[in-house]
Amino acid sequence: MTLPYAEPLVRRELQPRVIPEPLRVGEPGGDPCGLCSWLSGLDDTARDAEDKPLWYDADWALCRATGVTIPGVVWLTSRAHHDSFADLPDALARSYGPMIARVERAILALGDIARVHVYRWGDGSAHFHVWFYPRPLGMLEAKREMLPLWAEVLPEAPKEVVADAEDKIAAALAADS
Ligand SMILES: [Zn+2]
């Protein structure tokens, strides 16, 4: 039993399917893509550093999460608007592998981490992004898909600890080009 909840848990009944599904943000016909507007103008020197990704190049941006419970949780997004792997231009798809390897190395360099989980859900925004969740060393309850569930229920980590981890990840990424 590795769920972050005590027994007894009662399995819920599946609800009837909702078809068509509600439009996601950034989907054609849906609300405008907030990521596209946030990612535009990154080279504006007047812009506050806190309002910029942790790190970015012409293709990718590594971003802070909010309400972080496990320091080192970050997410990577494409600079341009594409929905999923199936939609990435070939050059971007080719750079994805080396890019997530760099992010994984940067997170592992924080130390005290057993594994870095990479999740691509895409159910919220239609702008391509993947999540990186470092599983703390020895936190065996949080193996596999349990990690994001635990991340939801753990107390928020001190902001300075989160910021320190983010700064280290950004520096490691910049040094590993
Ligand atoms: Zn977008």
Side-chain angles (χ1 to χ4, degrees):
M1 183 66 177
T2 55
L3 277 171
Y5 306 97
E7 295 189 79
L9 291 177
V10 180
R11 203 184 81 183
R12 298 170 58 190
E13 292 299 320
L14 271 177
Q15 298 301 301
R17 294 194 193 194
V18 177
I19 300 175
E21 295 193 1
L23 290 171
R24 296 167 299 158
V25 171
E27 206 163 35
D31 289 338
C33 182
L35 260 182
C36 276
S37 65
W38 182 62
L39 290 168
S40 65
L42 289 184
D43 297 325
D44 179 357
T45 52
R47 198 161 152 181
D48 188 348
E50 288 298 304
D51 186 37
K52 291 185 176 186
L54 287 168
W55 170 95
Y56 59 93
D57 66 8
D59 294 327
W60 303 104
L62 190 74
C63 310
R64 296 173 187 81
T66 55
V68 173
T69 58
I70 298 176
V73 170
V74 289
W75 52 283
L76 179 78
T77 181
S78 56
R79 290 283 303 269
H81 189 97
H82 309 287
D83 190 337
S84 189
F85 291 102
D87 310 299
L88 294 180
D90 286 350
L92 202 56
R94 275 194 295 272
S95 72
Y96 173 77
M99 186 67 240
I100 62 169
R102 287 172 65 189
V103 175
E104 183 184 19
R105 281 192 291 270
I107 296 172
L108 286 172
L110 294 173
D112 206 30
I113 290 166
R115 218 91 50 217
V116 177
H117 294 191
V118 184
Y119 298 98
R120 189 272 163 181
W121 287 297
D123 284 334
S125 163
H127 190 123
F128 182 81
H129 62 290
V130 291
W131 285 89
F132 295 82
Y133 279 68
R135 180 169 72 68
L137 187 64
M139 194 185 282
L140 299 185
E141 303 96 323
K143 278 184 173 180
R144 297 170 39 138
E145 69 275 20
M146 296 300 162
L147 181 55
L149 295 179
W150 277 100
E152 285 289 321
V153 301
L154 289 170
E156 193 168 332
K159 294 209 179 311
E160 63 274 15
V161 176
V162 174
D164 181 59
E166 291 169 344
D167 290 347
K168 285 175 176 162
I169 292 169
L173 207 52
D176 179 22
S177 54

